[in-house]
C-alpha cells in the first residue's frame, strides 16, 4: 500500500505522522519506504540528525512525476509512506495519484477544518483518474482531556470522508524524538504517544483492507 499524508495547510504534523507510522509498520514486520515529497526536505533533515540508520529507507522525490516514478520502486516494499508538500501544486497532485490511501491530518481548530476543503477537492479530482483511492481524516495534536477532539470530528463529517477514531494528542515526546531524528518508539516505546501511533496505524490498515 502507498499511503500519503496530505494537507495543504502547513504545520499539521504530516512529517511527524509519516515517520512514526512508518516505524510502526516496520515494527509490525513490514518493509517500508518513506518518500520525502516536500521540497523543504523535512524527513531528510530528520534522518540526517540521527546517530544511526533509520529503521526504514528514506528517499527524496520532490518532483511532479511521483505517480509515474514510484510504481517501479514500490515492489521492493510492503508499504510506502509519502510525506507530501504543504500546498496545492502539481507535486501534491502527483503524490495523490501515486497513493492507494490519502491520510489527511487535521488539528482540532476551525481554521484547519475550513482549510481541509482544498485537499478534499484535490483528492476528488484525482479519483476521476484513479477510482480506488481511499481517503480519511486523522485528528492530530488534540489537546488531551478536552471536548474539542469530538467537536472537530463532527465538523469534518460535512466532507463525507471517514474520520478515524484513533486520535493523536499534543505530546512533548513527538518534538523531543524529532529533535534527535528518532521516533517515539525509539525514545519511549511504552509511552502514550507510541500507543496512539500504534492505534492509528492499525486503523489505517483496517480502512485499506
Amino acid at each position: 500500500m502507498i499511503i500519503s499524508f496530505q494537507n495543504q495547510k502547513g504545520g499539521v504534523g504530516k512529517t511527524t505522522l509519516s515517520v512514526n507510522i512508518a516505524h510502526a509498520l516496520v515494527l509490525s514486520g513490514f518493509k517500508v519506504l518513506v518518500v520525502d515529497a516536500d521540497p523543504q526536505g523535512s524527513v531528510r533533515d530528520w534522518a540526517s540528525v540521527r546517530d544511526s540508520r533509520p529503521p526504514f529507507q528514506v528517499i527524496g522525490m520532490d518532483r511532479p512525476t511521483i505517480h509515474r516514478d514510484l510504481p517501479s520502486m514500490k515492489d521492493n516494499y510492503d508499504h510506502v509512506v509519502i510525506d507530501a508538500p504543504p500546498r496545492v501544486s502539481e507535486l501534491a497532485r502527483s503524490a495523490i495519484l501515486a497513493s492507494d490511501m490519502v491520510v489527511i491530518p487535521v488539528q482540532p481548530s476551525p481554521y484547519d477544518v475550513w482549510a481541509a476543503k482544498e485537499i478534499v477537492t484535490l483528492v476528488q479530482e484525482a479519483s476521476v483518474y484513479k477510482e480506488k483511492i481511499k481517503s480519511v481524516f486523522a485528528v492530530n495534536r488534540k489537546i488531551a482531556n478536552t471536548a474539542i477532539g469530538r467537536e472537530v470530528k463532527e465538523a469534518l463529517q460535512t466532507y463525507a470522508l471517514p474520520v478515524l477514531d484513533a486520535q493523536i494528542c499534543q505530546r512533548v515526546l513527538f518534538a523531543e524524538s524529532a529533535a534527535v531524528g528518532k521516533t517515539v518508539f525509539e525514545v519511549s516505546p511504552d509511552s502514550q504517544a507510541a500507543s496512539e501511533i500504534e492505534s492509528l496505524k492499525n486503523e489505517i490498515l483496517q480502512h485499506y483492507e
Side-chain angles (χ1 to χ4, degrees), residues 1-207:
M1 170 173 57
I2 300 178
I3 313 161
S4 65
F5 288 89
Q6 294 262 357
N7 196 316
Q8 305 313 301
K9 185 177 184 297
V12 297
K14 294 190 307 298
T15 302
T16 297
L17 292 183
S18 294
V19 297
N20 282 284
I21 290 294
H23 197 184
L25 289 167
V26 169
L27 292 172
S28 295
F30 297 111
K31 187 176 181 182
V32 180
L33 170 68
V34 174
V35 176
D36 188 348
D38 188 342
Q40 295 177 353
S42 298
V43 175
R44 283 165 283 181
D45 289 341
W46 171 87
S48 70
V49 301
R50 291 180 58 89
D51 55 12
S52 61
R53 295 186 64 177
F56 41 78
Q57 181 72 29
V58 174
I59 64 168
M61 194 181 286
D62 49 348
R63 54 183 182 264
T65 55
I66 301 172
H67 61 293
R68 295 202 301 266
D69 300 338
L70 196 54
S72 63
M73 304 173 61
K74 70 176 184 178
D75 291 343
N76 296 320
Y77 300 91
D78 299 306
H79 297 293
V80 178
V81 175
I82 303 174
D83 183 24
R87 54 189 170 274
V88 175
S89 63
E90 289 305 311
L91 177 53
R93 291 184 176 90
S94 181
I96 292 172
L97 285 171
S99 304
D100 299 308
M101 173 169 283
V102 176
V103 179
I104 307 170
V106 179
Q107 296 181 111
S109 81
Y111 304 106
D112 283 66
V113 173
W114 299 331
K117 182 177 181 180
E118 288 184 313
I119 183 61
V120 170
T121 299
L122 278 184
V123 173
Q124 290 172 339
E125 291 173 351
S127 66
V128 174
Y129 304 97
K130 189 174 180 179
E131 295 181 3
K132 294 184 178 180
I133 293 178
K134 296 186 177 183
S135 52
V136 294
F137 285 113
V139 176
N140 191 35
R141 293 179 174 168
K142 173 191 172 184
I143 300 173
N145 302 317
T146 65
I148 196 166
R150 293 191 299 272
E151 293 168 359
V152 72
K153 184 173 182 178
E154 293 172 2
L156 288 170
Q157 288 172 347
T158 61
Y159 289 111
L161 292 182
V163 183
L164 299 181
D165 292 325
Q167 298 184 347
I168 308 299
C169 290
Q170 179 84 293
R171 299 191 187 279
V172 173
L173 184 61
F174 287 112
E176 290 177 341
S177 58
V180 291
K182 295 186 182 297
T183 70
V184 294
F185 297 101
E186 294 175 286
V187 174
S188 184
D190 296 323
S191 63
Q192 288 180 301
S195 177
E196 289 170 359
I197 291 292
E198 180 69 14
S199 295
L200 182 61
K201 177 222 50 177
N202 289 337
E203 198 170 355
I204 288 171
L205 292 176
Q206 288 168 8
H207 266 268

